[in-house]
Each structure stands twice: as structure tokens, then as C-alpha cells.
Amino acid sequence: MRNNNGAIITLGFALFAMFFGAGNLILPPFIGLKSGTEWFYAIVGFITTGIIAPLISLIAVVQIGHNFTDIGKRVNKNMITILAFIIIWLIGPLIGIPRTGATTFEIGLQPVFPGLSPIISAVIFFAVTGFLAISPSKIVDIIGKYLTPVLILLLLILIAVGIVYSPGAPASSALSHGESFALGFHEGYQTMDVLSAVIFAGIIITTITEKGFTQVNQRVKMTIMAGLIAAFCLLVIYGGLVYLGATSGYPVTDDLSRTKLLLHISNSVLGKYGTYIISVAIALACLTTAIALTSAFASFMEKITNGKFGYKVNVIFCCVLAAILSVKGVDEIINYAGILLGFVYPVVFALVMYLVFFGKIVKSKAPYVAAVIISTLVSSLTVFQYYGIAKNFITSLKESLPLVQHNMEWVLPSFLAFIITAIFSKNNTFATQE
């Protein structure tokens, strides 16, 4: 492969920006504050679900085809199409994209412009998003070359100054090593990056192909190298923000606000300029993510409707719907999003893990279908519990499952379903690796 360091770096920065939304900025300081002296173990847990799992998800799609729906060739076409449809609407105009607009207003703009209307903010934010997303071939270059370096620079300034002029050592924590790891692991779910990764894969693969890398092994290599750059950037930013939270001295209360904690840190570290730094960082983090999600949604809907709704029409529709929902505010969006994300996240997580780790030796579709079905059934328990359906029975059943305290009660049942089905499958299950 010829020297393509520039392309790899651009792709790496683009991946970082696509993954690094507002939630990724708000979560780490909270984890640091809660874990205190055990902040290192919390970081390990957070990067497991916030960095490693999304990277594995991205690689899973690249290995199999050009987008998430190509996984249907290895599992079940209709099942994957339905799953992809659910994912793209959740991380797109229903939850992910409106949350970027609402967060930009509440943390990025309102502290600087107190009189600004959320409606005006939404119109401006999504007008810019739509304008930059309307040309999909330029998205990666726009994000990777221009927006991301500015975002990373602002965050590094905040972290560097915060560490050098740290107000003190991390506060003592009541959490153990294991509890701190579990805290970080669980908070990593809230990034939604595993869901985003399987959708963003299409944008990255398209860009790689346009640059002349058409072979599968070339795409995988380019993706891994770009992914490592993105992972390194995420690790540095996450680690720094967790440490700033651990040393912030902010009081820990039951109603602790993640956004107020972040603003407290920025103001403490950079004084009156802290608000402006965080405002710009939040706006850039949200904008880059919104652009990527809007493009992914528009491309998916164009394909699934066989071109009846073109890319540009889908971009406009997505931005308009997201703008309307964003006016509801961050808290309301999070409230209705929680149960939906809790249902679909484990299903996608389980699927990509089995494909990456067993894809070359388990060729039959049945084990993957079984794992998806069982993960879906176990995830449904949370939905039933939320709506009070057979509440006592469902609660008892859910609490009896291993790892329920970490919201990972789906792991053992889906793994057993996968292994048992693989053993009894007759369709070239355990194939010899070449």
C-alpha cells in the first residue's frame, strides 16, 4: 500500500469527531468526580465500552461489506434491515441529532447569550448542519481537516491547564476498584457510540473506496489505522477530563448535574474565558456529530426507499424534524430516549462482538440469529419493567440474571444461545480458517 499518511490522519480525525458528541464531553468529568482516587479504574471501564467496543463494531462492518445492512449476508437480511432502520432513526432525527442541537443551546449558547431563543438556536444550528451535510463526498474532509483539529486544540488547552494548575489531589472515593470500573463501563453505554459506529462505517468505507482502496484487506487496514488514531485522541481527551473531574473538588450530591460540573471545571480552570472555550467546544462537538448522523440517515433512507426520496430531500427532512424535537430540551430528550436505547444497544453490541470474534470460524447464520433473538428478548425485560407489564415477575426474572448490576444481563444468555446453536448447526458451522 502506498504512503497515505495524510488520508489516514484525516480519516482518524473524522472518526474521532463523529464519535465525540456532547455526551462524550459531559460524561468523563462525572465519572472522575464519582470515582475520585479510583479514577484510573473508571477510565479503563469507560474506554472498554466507549472506545474499544465502537472500534470493534466499525471493523465488523468493514470486514463484511460496505454498510451495516451487508451484515444481513451473514445473519438474516430482513432482521438486519429492521435493526438498521431502528438504529438510524434513534441515533438520527429522533434522539441523537436533536440532542446535539439541544445541548448546543443549553451549554454552548445560552451561557454566552442568555436571551437567545431555543427556536432561533435550532434554526441556525440545523441550517448549518444541513448545509454541510448536503454534499456527502465532502463530509469526511470537512470534519477531519477543519473542524476536528480546532475541537481537539480547545479540549487539550482545557485539560493541560487544568492538570498543571490542579486545585488538589483526587478526592477519596467510597467506590472500590471493581465498582469504579463498573461505573465507567456503564457510563460508556450512554455515548451510543456502538450504535453510531455501525452506521458511520458506511461513510468511512465510501471515503476509503473513493481514495482508491477497493480491496477488503485494504479497507480493513485503513480503518484499523484510522481507528487507532481516533482511539488515541479519545483516550487522551477522556483521560484528561476524568482526571479534571476527580480533582475538581465539586460537591457530590444525588442530583449532581453533569453539565453544571463541566461548566464549573471550565470556569475554575480558565476563569471567565472558560465559558467561551466550552461553548465553542460543545458547538463543534455537536456540529460534527450532527453532520455525520444527518448524512448517514439521508444515505440510508435514500437506499431503503430505492431512491424515491433522494439524499438532499432526506437531509432537509432530517434537519427539520430534529430541529422541532431539539426545542424540547436535553432532559426531555434523554427521558424518552433511555428506554429505547436500553433495548437496542445490547442487541447490536452482541451481534458485532460475535461477528468479529467468531466470524471466521462460525459460518452458519443460525448462531448469530439465535444470539440476536435472545439478546432482544432479554432487553425486552427492561421495556416490560418500565411499563409495568407483569412487573413482579419480570423484575424477579431480570434480577436473577448474571451481571444485571452492570446492565449486562444479556451477555450470558446470548452467548449460550450462540454456542449451543453453533454446536448443533449443520451448515458449515466451525469452518477451518485459511
Side-chain angles (χ1 to χ4, degrees), residues 44-275:
V44 174
F46 189 67
I47 65 176
T48 301
T49 48
I51 297 179
I52 297 175
L55 183 57
I56 290 175
S57 301
L58 187 66
I59 293 172
V61 178
V62 176
Q63 286 179 333
I64 292 173
H66 291 81
N67 51 63
F68 180 60
T69 54
D70 286 340
I71 289 180
K73 301 172 185 176
R74 292 296 311 275
V75 185
N76 178 280
K77 182 179 179 180
N78 293 332
M79 178 181 288
I80 296 303
T81 299
I82 293 172
L83 185 58
F85 186 85
I86 294 172
I87 292 172
I88 199 67
W89 277 85
L90 292 184
I91 68 173
L94 293 184
I95 297 174
I97 300 175
R99 194 174 67 175
T100 62
T103 304
T104 298
F105 170 70
E106 294 182 14
I107 305 178
L109 297 179
Q110 195 174 37
V112 180
F113 306 103
L116 182 66
S117 164
I119 297 177
I120 298 299
S121 173
V123 170
I124 295 173
F125 180 85
F126 287 105
V128 174
T129 298
F131 176 77
L132 295 178
I134 211 76
S135 300
S137 61
K138 299 179 180 179
I139 286 175
V140 170
D141 286 340
I142 291 172
I143 294 175
K145 288 184 178 180
Y146 305 110
L147 299 183
T148 306
V150 176
L151 170 61
I152 293 177
L153 178 62
L154 292 175
L155 293 175
L156 288 178
I157 291 174
L158 174 66
I159 291 170
V161 175
I163 292 176
V164 171
Y165 297 100
S166 175
S172 179
S173 174
L175 302 179
S176 64
H177 296 342
E179 289 171 335
S180 296
F181 175 87
L183 170 67
F185 190 95
H186 180 251
E187 287 291 317
Y189 283 172
Q190 306 302 321
T191 65
M192 296 194 296
D193 283 346
V194 165
L195 302 183
S196 300
V198 297
I199 301 301
F200 289 156
I203 297 176
I204 297 300
I205 293 170
T206 298
T207 303
I208 292 174
T209 302
E210 289 176 349
K211 293 181 182 297
F213 301 95
T214 57
Q215 301 298 317
V216 175
N217 63 330
Q218 291 178 324
R219 294 203 306 266
V220 172
K221 184 175 181 180
M222 287 284 286
T223 301
I224 291 176
M225 294 175 71
L228 290 176
I229 292 175
F232 176 76
C233 294
L234 288 169
L235 178 60
V236 171
I237 300 299
Y238 286 160
L241 291 174
V242 168
Y243 184 77
L244 292 186
T247 58
S248 65
Y250 199 78
V252 180
T253 59
D254 293 335
D255 58 346
L256 176 63
S257 169
R258 291 170 173 80
T259 55
K260 289 182 180 179
L261 170 61
L262 181 60
L263 289 172
H264 167 79
I265 291 173
S266 64
N267 291 331
S268 298
V269 171
L270 301 175
K272 64 179 181 179
Y273 298 105
T275 298

Side-chain angles (χ1 to χ4, degrees), residues 185-186 189 338-339 341-347 349-350 354 371 373-386 394-417:
F185 190 95
H186 180 251
Y189 283 172
I339 190 64
L341 295 174
F343 169 74
V344 73
Y345 198 101
V347 179
F349 201 172
Y354 295 133
I373 291 174
I374 294 301
S375 298
T376 302
L377 291 176
V378 175
S379 296
S380 298
L381 296 178
T382 301
V383 179
F384 295 151
Q385 188 179 38
Y386 179 82
I394 294 298
T395 300
S396 177
L397 177 59
K398 183 180 176 181
E399 294 298 325
S400 68
L401 296 173
L403 303 177
V404 66
Q405 67 272 30
H406 303 313
N407 284 352
M408 296 176 63
E409 61 272 13
W410 53 270
V411 171
L412 186 58
S414 69
F415 181 72
L416 289 176

